């Protein structure tokens, strides 16, 4: 009987240990690094876009900082014209990334007092006729001038958009199918009090992460 109890206890302990390991293994970390702008290889993951593709005169450039601690996007004088825009967008992930366990996107930035637009692209829920593009979700982010700043944006604050305009529809972000991200700037609009209008701009980006705060 004593030997049977010993074997049963050993089996029970092993089962408890296995169950505990499985639960911990399935629990995602509280933060997840998505992009880390610390090498020139990062440039290969991004491309620029602007209103110049549609006959506008806005322009921008991307470069890795010499000290290796960030990516700088900037435009020369008069680079944003009238209601122009410039942006940097990541190339599509190899498949997609799953951020369903997270509730916040954080960006470490240093800027010029302008308001920028953080965009998340997700797999389209429904490919309706004439609408084969990815879903896009946008939120404004203010970037203070000259000092590094960590902007934390709850995913619930991202609104569904279509070509820059908010969609008046009840939609839910497909957080398990994230295809890419972008950061852009417009000459007009944005957060009240932020610098706006045509002219030059500069923003540095160190990293982008997802956080689980609840």
């Amino acid at each position: 009987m004593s030997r049977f109890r010993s074997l049963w206890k050993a089996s029970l302990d092993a089962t408890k240990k296995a169950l505990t390991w499985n639960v911990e293994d399935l629990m995602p970390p509280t933060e997840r690094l998505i992009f880390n702008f610390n090498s020139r290889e990062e440039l290969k993951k991004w491309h620029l876009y602007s209103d110049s593709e549609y006959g506008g005169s806005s322009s921008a450039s991307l470069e890795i900082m010499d000290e290796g601690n960030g990516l700088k996007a900037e435009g020369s004088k008069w680079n944003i014209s009238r209601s122009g825009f410039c942006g940097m967008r990541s190339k599509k992930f190899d498949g997609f990334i799953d951020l369903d366990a997270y509730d916040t996107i954080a960006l470490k930035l240093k800027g010029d007092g302008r308001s920028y637009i953080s965009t998340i692209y997700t797999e389209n829920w429904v490919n309706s006729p004439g609408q084969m593009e990815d879903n896009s979700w946008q939120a404004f982010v203010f970037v203070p001038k000259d000092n590094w700043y960590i902007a934390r944006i709850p995913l619930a604050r991202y609104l569904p958009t279509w070509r820059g305009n908010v969609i008046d529809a009840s939609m839910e972000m497909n957080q398990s199918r994230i295809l890419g991200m972008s950061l852009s700037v417009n000459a007009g609009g944005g957060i009240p009090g932020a610098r706006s209008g045509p002219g030059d701009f500069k923003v540095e980006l160190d990293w982008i992460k997802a956080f689980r705060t609840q």
Side-chain angles (χ1 to χ4, degrees), residues 1-202:
M1 180 66 70
S2 176
R3 182 183 178 189
F4 173 77
R5 286 179 179 176
S6 297
L7 289 173
W8 179 82
K9 186 176 183 303
S11 177
L12 182 61
D13 290 343
T15 300
K16 287 181 178 180
K17 184 177 180 181
L19 288 174
T20 301
W21 180 85
N22 286 334
V23 170
E24 293 177 350
D25 187 54
L26 292 172
M27 182 66 69
T30 56
E31 68 177 72
R32 176 175 177 176
L33 181 66
I34 303 174
F35 291 106
N36 190 20
F37 301 99
N38 59 359
S39 72
R40 297 189 181 279
E41 288 299 310
E42 287 296 321
L43 289 178
K44 298 178 181 179
K45 299 178 182 178
W46 295 80
H47 65 85
L48 289 165
Y49 64 90
S50 71
D51 59 17
S52 62
E53 300 172 22
Y54 307 95
S57 57
S58 301
S59 62
S61 64
L62 278 177
E63 62 179 278
I64 292 291
M65 300 299 291
D66 290 338
E67 51 272 38
N69 64 348
L71 180 72
K72 180 172 70 174
E74 66 177 341
S76 57
K77 189 175 181 181
W78 306 113
N79 83 300
I80 304 179
S81 176
R82 298 180 183 177
S83 59
F85 62 88
C86 289
M88 49 180 281
R89 177 172 176 170
S90 68
K91 297 176 182 177
K92 281 192 175 184
F93 299 122
D94 183 13
F96 56 86
I97 63 171
D98 185 351
L99 297 183
D100 203 37
Y102 301 91
D103 56 70
T104 301
I105 293 294
L107 306 91
K108 185 177 179 181
L109 305 142
K110 179 164 51 172
D112 51 8
R114 283 187 180 271
S115 177
Y116 288 80
I117 301 172
S118 171
T119 304
I120 297 174
Y121 300 96
T122 63
E123 185 177 70
N124 202 336
W125 283 112
V126 179
N127 285 326
S128 57
Q131 212 292 71
M132 301 297 290
E133 297 181 20
D134 305 328
N135 289 154
S136 62
W137 305 77
Q138 297 185 326
F140 284 116
V141 53
F142 173 68
V143 185
K145 186 176 181 180
D146 297 332
N147 295 314
W148 284 105
Y149 168 74
I150 297 177
R152 298 178 184 272
I153 312 170
L155 281 164
R157 193 187 300 171
Y158 283 84
L159 299 176
T161 62
W162 167 248
R163 296 184 178 178
N165 297 309
V166 176
I167 298 173
D168 185 16
S170 179
M171 295 179 65
E172 182 180 349
M173 182 188 293
N174 190 354
Q175 290 182 206
S176 63
R177 298 269 178 168
I178 306 294
L179 299 175
M181 296 181 173
S182 73
L183 187 68
S184 59
V185 59
N186 290 350
I191 297 174
R195 180 187 165 202
S196 61
D200 58 329
F201 73 90
K202 181 175 75 172

